[in-house]
Amino acid sequence: MGGATGVPNDSCDEYPFAGSGQGGQDGNQCVDITPRAVGGVWDIANVTVDRAAQPTPPYNAPCIRAHVDNKDNGDAGLEYGRAIQSDRIIDNEAFEVVIAP
């Protein structure tokens, strides 16, 4: 484990995706979270909120930054890029993110 968050090779991954029209927010506006690694995947249930503009929930921010392992962050970015290409999503086109268990 490394870094203040305890995440090995700590790297920040953001949502909405930085490459999307809604992404690319100033990181100081984001809520920073640290998910838990459970069974080889990042679990966001019962996350640790590391930093938020307001000290208590409900948090109201335009973005979330999760502290995850750098390799996982890179792999997620590659998967996002493949989805954009394979679905032929063009600049400023709306798309939906569905998270399935």
Side-chain angles (χ1 to χ4, degrees):
M1 299 281 179
T5 63
V7 175
N9 305 308
D10 190 2
S11 175
C12 288
D13 202 1
E14 62 287 326
Y15 186 84
F17 306 111
S20 71
Q22 293 176 327
Q25 300 288 334
D26 177 356
N28 290 326
Q29 296 178 9
C30 296
V31 172
D32 281 353
I33 64 170
T34 301
R36 299 176 302 134
V38 176
V41 298
W42 292 105
D43 180 12
I44 60 168
N46 302 309
V47 301
T48 300
V49 175
D50 300 312
R51 184 190 57 79
Q54 62 272 31
T56 58
Y59 302 111
N60 184 13
C63 51
I64 296 172
R65 290 191 309 187
H67 292 272
V68 296
D69 180 80
N70 191 52
K71 181 180 180 325
D72 292 339
N73 189 356
D75 290 348
L78 291 172
E79 186 65 29
Y80 170 75
R82 284 191 291 270
I84 295 297
Q85 282 189 321
S86 69
D87 292 346
R88 296 189 170 115
I89 298 171
I90 59 174
D91 286 346
N92 297 315
E93 181 178 6
F95 63 92
E96 184 176 347
V97 176
V98 177
I99 300 173

